[in-house]
Amino acid sequence: MLMNKEIVILGIESSCDETAAAVVKNGIVLSNCIADQKIHQNFGGVIPEAASREHQKNIIPIVEEAIKIAKINKEQISAVAFTVGPGLLGSLLVGLSFAKSFASGLNIPIIEVNHMQAHVLAHFIKNDKNNDLQKQPSFPFLCLTVSGGHTEIVLVKDYFDMTVIGKTGDDAAGEAFDKIAKTLGLPYPGGPLIDKLAQTGNPLSFHFPSPNVSGYNFSFSGLKTAVLYLIRDEMKKNNNFINENLNDICASVQYTIVNILVNKLKLVSKELNINEIAIAGGVSANSELRKSLLKTGEETGWNVYLPELAYCTDNAAMIASVGYLKFMKKDFTSQNIVSKARLEFENTNLH
Ligand code: KG4
Ligand code: ZN
């Protein structure tokens, strides 16, 4: 008789400043553990060397935790999925080297996962709570993928058939949040803090111009400079300008970023006649972006898909879940694989 074999995937994510491990059994997340690195808070950004060192410190404990919470034995693991790129090289190397040695010790395969593809596929993560209920986008859909390093519009035709059709020519949206937060004297990462402070601010207090970028592409460096100039000029008149206006500045910055993102999505959706709209990546946790997309959805007839908050920012559940999909296709990776700091989607066709 053919036995239904259990497929258990250990997923490892270490592309930036989160060391994460997750276990997925037969496509369902059993554990999703993250050790985030507080060390970068006071530097206004991630210090690559410090990040690699923290990954080295965290990787074994976080994997042990993921295995314990999943209530499995190491011997049950069928394959190890890991982030191959894009990301910080020193950070990626820690996850990849761990995956290789752990897998060769157990004599099981490894599976490489593209971090940005995993963010998009986070919409298909299954856990015991959402298994029956989760609304998943249907193909083809548009995914606005917004993180600390990327801002892209991805045309998703199938799980592994994705084309980048628009992207930022300078800063990513998350980077804009973080750099502006730094200018305002807020710790890293500034995105979630701006989101929080904006709740009680007036988004129309300060007007920042939106960039005029052709096609489906973005630009955020002008906004960063506009905020810098506003602060420089106002501080000359009032030393306490930031403190007195912090919530309003945050709300106005967030309003501008969200408008830039949503307006571009409206253009692409109209031109390609696609109403299945998803978001992914760290900035997809932004409450105003989520609200604005739902509102636009109601107005324009979009079906809007927002990932669960735990699956927006970097996590290993998305890596293990993609690992499971690849395992089912027997898409394994050779042990001589190397990390790829710069890794594009297979398809890029900018408009
Ligand atoms: O996907 P992610 O965790 O890591 C990268 O792959 O970059 O994204 C991190 C980015 C940071 O720039 C962070 O400030 C931003 O996502 N972010 C947010 C929010 N939560 C995270 N930005 C705005 N509002 C949020 N609530
Ligand atoms: Zn990410």
Side-chain angles (χ1 to χ4, degrees):
M1 197 177 71
L2 193 67
M3 294 290 285
N4 249 348
K5 193 180 175 301
E6 262 179 7
I7 309 295
V8 179
I9 309 291
L10 171 67
I12 307 290
E13 156 61 32
S14 71
S15 65
C16 190
D17 59 339
E18 328 271 4
T19 323
V23 174
V24 161
K25 182 170 144 191
N26 294 337
I28 311 283
V29 177
L30 298 185
S31 62
N32 184 28
C33 302
I34 299 183
D36 63 349
Q37 305 180 356
K38 302 272 179 269
I39 192 164
H40 311 288
Q41 265 176 3
N42 297 326
F43 294 96
V46 176
I47 312 294
E49 203 179 305
S52 320
R53 244 184 270 133
E54 290 295 297
H55 284 306
Q56 283 182 328
K57 218 194 285 174
N58 295 338
I59 188 113
I60 303 270
I62 207 75
V63 168
E64 279 176 354
E65 190 183 322
I67 289 176
K68 192 168 159 213
I69 292 176
K71 297 194 178 67
I72 56 150
N73 301 317
K74 281 203 299 276
E75 292 66 31
Q76 284 174 265
I77 298 174
S78 321
V80 185
F82 61 94
T83 303
V84 66
L88 300 169
L89 189 63
S91 289
L92 290 164
L93 284 173
V94 178
L96 176 138
S97 304
F98 172 86
K100 282 186 180 182
S101 14
F102 188 90
S104 68
L106 289 170
N107 203 18
I108 55 176
I110 54 171
I111 300 172
E112 66 185 286
V113 175
N114 178 322
H115 180 83
M116 297 313 295
Q117 206 164 39
H119 270 305
V120 175
L121 294 176
H123 285 278
F124 301 97
I125 296 177
K126 294 198 185 82
N127 56 45
D128 58 357
K129 293 194 193 76
N130 73 9
N131 198 11
D132 300 326
L133 305 169
Q134 200 193 23
K135 234 176 31 146
Q136 293 179 342
S138 44
F139 303 114
F141 66 92
L142 295 173
C143 190
L144 172 69
T145 309
V146 266
S147 68
H150 291 77
T151 296
E152 299 168 334
I153 295 184
V154 185
L155 171 61
V156 189
K157 293 196 185 138
D158 207 339
Y159 293 109
F160 296 102
D161 183 356
M162 302 183 189
T163 306
V164 176
I165 56 174
K167 63 179 185 178
T168 181
D170 42 55
D171 291 347
E175 198 177 353
F177 270 113
D178 296 339
K179 286 181 174 167
I180 291 169
K182 188 179 177 192
T183 309
L184 297 172
L186 300 171
Y188 176 86
L193 279 173
I194 290 188
D195 190 350
K196 197 166 157 220
L197 292 164
Q199 310 280 337
T200 48
N202 175 0
L204 303 178
S205 302
F206 300 97
H207 173 75
F208 300 114
S210 291
N212 189 3
V213 186
S214 67
Y216 302 164
N217 299 317
F218 298 95
S219 165
F220 290 99
S221 66
L223 172 64
K224 184 184 63 188
T225 314
V227 177
L228 199 67
Y229 285 173
L230 171 85
I231 295 194
R232 185 198 59 187
D233 297 345
E234 293 297 326
M235 291 288 271
K236 278 187 201 150
K237 295 180 240 161
N238 172 9
N239 227 339
N240 223 5
F241 174 74
I242 295 183
N243 284 344
E244 287 170 12
N245 296 279
L246 188 58
N247 299 67
D248 288 344
I249 304 171
C250 288
S252 304
V253 164
Q254 178 172 273
Y255 176 80
T256 311
I257 294 178
V258 168
N259 271 347
I260 295 171
L261 295 170
V262 174
N263 286 340
K264 203 54 97 162
L265 262 180
K266 280 186 191 164
L267 171 79
V268 183
S269 151
K270 194 164 166 227
E271 290 196 357
L272 301 189
N273 197 18
I274 296 178
N275 286 327
E276 293 282 300
I277 307 291
I279 47 171
V283 181
S284 65
N286 183 266
S287 61
E288 187 55 36
L289 178 59
R290 296 170 82 92
K291 256 189 254 158
S292 174
L293 280 172
L294 290 174
K295 186 165 162 273
T296 314
E298 279 169 20
E299 288 161 6
T300 58
W302 284 354
N303 296 318
V304 173
Y305 302 91
L306 309 172
E308 286 178 35
L309 287 177
Y311 304 144
C312 288
T313 42
D314 288 349
N315 66 87
M318 66 183 190
I319 305 300
S321 298
V322 174
Y324 175 73
L325 292 172
K326 287 191 152 188
F327 187 98
M328 299 314 278
K329 300 198 301 168
K330 298 201 173 9
D331 188 355
F332 301 122
T333 302
S334 141
Q335 273 278 357
N336 60 15
I337 181 87
V338 292
S339 301
K340 294 163 189 156
R342 299 179 70 82
L343 178 64
E344 297 293 337
F345 278 62
E346 275 122 56
N347 305 316
T348 303
N349 184 10
L350 299 182
H351 289 241

